[in-house]
Amino acid sequence: MERIPVFAPCTGIDTLKHLTDALDVGWIGMGATTKEFEDRISAFLGLTDRQVIATNTGTSALHIALVAAGIKPGDEVITPSFNYVADHQAIRMAGAEVVMCDIRDDNLGIDCAKAEPLVTNKTKAIIPLHFAGLPCDQAGVFSLAKKHKLRVIEDSMHGFGTAIDGRKLGSYGDITCFSFDPVKIVTSIDGGCVIVASDQEFSNLQRLRLLGVDKDTTERYKNRRAWDYDVVSEGFRYHLTNIMASVGVSQIKRVEEFIASRQRVCRAYNDAFCKKPGLKIPQTDFSDVSPFIYSLRVLDGRREALIAHLQNLAVDVGIHFIPVHKHTYFAQCRRSDMTVTDKVAAEVLTLPLHSNMKPEFVERVIAGVTSFPG
Ligand SMILES: Cc1ncc(COP(=O)(O)O)c(C=O)c1O
């Protein structure tokens, strides 16, 4: 029986054509295709008053977003422990201290009531995560940030296309970061982006992305390099190449199709599992959600048994996440109580979800979960 992987890329002859066309141009580094990818991200998200900087990973996007937001050594940044460790590493890369907060039981996003007591005069930013593409308490985060003058860098890596009140993540707010890594809905093999409103921060980000060089970005967008330049700040080598961007362009052309196909699978999963005792399914009809993963909760300590049951049926599963306060390198960070995080971390289970997932795979996952005794 064919194993069903948790993730599967949806690339075809279209991606291959974009790649070979990009190779034929003879300029494989950052260039015009990088700019085209940025323009397409902007168009898809409906950006009107903000700009996009494509990067080589989502992690590097977070890092330079923090630096551009003015985060520096000695500052503190609050983020959930129930998050991917990329955020915590990016905070440390910016020289700041990681402060971890618990999550809410309903949307598995940051619990603002528990975040507020963590704020000190060193706290300068907050990084909320929209887990699995479902919105966190964004209004609560914005109001906390306003009250304490914090920057908000939204980790929207799981929600490329998710909308709140009809507006897509990234099209408003402070700073937003996305990832286009190999398993994301839109992939550029590896890649990411920062979306920012201020022109000053936009040009700072361009320099931060490219070794602090002041005017190379505009030249490279024309598939050539500036030979006369100055270095005016620190900088990193975080730019996205034409080759990677060409994969991203091929993918973003199909993003609506990908999202719709994933929503259909998530709804089929919810319909099939909603009456099964011992499971807690995502509380959404997915209409405004761009679902990166389908994560449900297995109650009563039965998760490992369900994993074994599905493994026997050749259905792979994932776990998002091991809370970051459990990792050695981050165990000493200041944090709130982790009551919900610790409970949820023992319950979450990620089922296979692919763009244009084979119907046979969907049926087998559903049959696997519904045949689990209990
Ligand atoms: C929630 C979250 N934040 C950050 C990242 C980092 O993105 P990247 O893998 O593109 O560096 C990921 C990637 O998996 C993620 O899931």
Side-chain angles (χ1 to χ4, degrees), residues 70 120 170 259 288 291 322 326 345 353 360:
T120 68
I259 292 170
D288 266 342
I322 298 171
K326 298 283 188 195
L353 176 64
E360 176 223 327

Short mmCIF file of all heavy atoms in Angstrom, two decimals, residues 70 120 170 259 288 291 322 326 345 353 360:
data_model
loop_
_atom_site.label_atom_id
_atom_site.label_comp_id
_atom_site.label_asym_id
_atom_site.label_seq_id
_atom_site.Cartn_x
_atom_site.Cartn_y
_atom_site.Cartn_z
N GLY A 70 13.78 47.67 14.73
CA GLY A 70 14.58 48.33 15.76
C GLY A 70 14.89 47.45 16.97
O GLY A 70 15.35 47.95 17.99
N THR A 120 7.55 44.10 30.11
CA THR A 120 8.37 44.94 31.00
C THR A 120 8.81 46.15 30.18
O THR A 120 8.47 46.25 29.00
CB THR A 120 9.64 44.19 31.47
OG1 THR A 120 10.49 44.01 30.32
CG2 THR A 120 9.32 42.84 32.08
N GLY A 170 -1.30 40.27 6.20
CA GLY A 170 -0.21 40.94 5.48
C GLY A 170 -0.67 42.22 4.80
O GLY A 170 0.15 43.09 4.50
N ILE A 259 -5.40 26.51 -2.59
CA ILE A 259 -6.12 26.78 -1.34
C ILE A 259 -7.50 26.13 -1.38
O ILE A 259 -7.92 25.46 -0.42
CB ILE A 259 -6.24 28.31 -1.09
CG1 ILE A 259 -4.85 28.90 -0.79
CG2 ILE A 259 -7.19 28.60 0.08
CD1 ILE A 259 -4.81 30.42 -0.76
N ASP A 288 -12.51 31.37 5.23
CA ASP A 288 -11.50 32.42 5.08
C ASP A 288 -10.12 31.95 5.49
O ASP A 288 -9.23 32.75 5.73
CB ASP A 288 -11.89 33.63 5.96
CG ASP A 288 -12.67 34.66 5.15
OD1 ASP A 288 -12.60 34.60 3.91
OD2 ASP A 288 -13.35 35.50 5.77
N PRO A 291 -5.50 26.77 4.62
CA PRO A 291 -4.98 25.80 5.59
C PRO A 291 -3.65 25.17 5.16
O PRO A 291 -3.58 24.41 4.20
CB PRO A 291 -6.07 24.73 5.65
CG PRO A 291 -6.88 24.89 4.41
CD PRO A 291 -6.54 26.17 3.75
N ILE A 322 6.48 20.55 19.19
CA ILE A 322 7.06 20.38 20.53
C ILE A 322 7.23 21.80 21.05
O ILE A 322 7.87 22.63 20.40
CB ILE A 322 8.44 19.69 20.45
CG1 ILE A 322 8.31 18.30 19.84
CG2 ILE A 322 9.10 19.65 21.83
CD1 ILE A 322 9.65 17.65 19.52
N LYS A 326 10.42 23.47 25.95
CA LYS A 326 10.90 22.12 26.26
C LYS A 326 12.28 21.86 25.65
O LYS A 326 12.91 20.84 25.95
CB LYS A 326 9.93 21.07 25.71
CG LYS A 326 8.55 21.12 26.31
CD LYS A 326 8.53 20.50 27.69
CE LYS A 326 7.11 20.39 28.21
NZ LYS A 326 7.07 20.12 29.65
N ALA A 345 0.03 20.32 23.53
CA ALA A 345 1.18 19.68 22.87
C ALA A 345 1.09 18.16 22.94
O ALA A 345 1.63 17.46 22.08
CB ALA A 345 2.48 20.16 23.49
N LEU A 353 -2.19 16.51 4.43
CA LEU A 353 -2.95 17.51 3.67
C LEU A 353 -2.06 18.00 2.53
O LEU A 353 -0.96 18.49 2.78
CB LEU A 353 -3.35 18.69 4.58
CG LEU A 353 -4.08 19.86 3.88
CD1 LEU A 353 -5.43 19.41 3.32
CD2 LEU A 353 -4.27 21.03 4.85
N GLU A 360 -8.26 9.23 -3.27
CA GLU A 360 -8.02 7.95 -2.59
C GLU A 360 -7.27 8.17 -1.26
O GLU A 360 -7.55 7.51 -0.25
CB GLU A 360 -7.19 7.05 -3.53
CG GLU A 360 -6.76 5.73 -2.95
CD GLU A 360 -5.32 5.38 -3.27
OE1 GLU A 360 -4.81 5.74 -4.36
OE2 GLU A 360 -4.67 4.75 -2.40
#
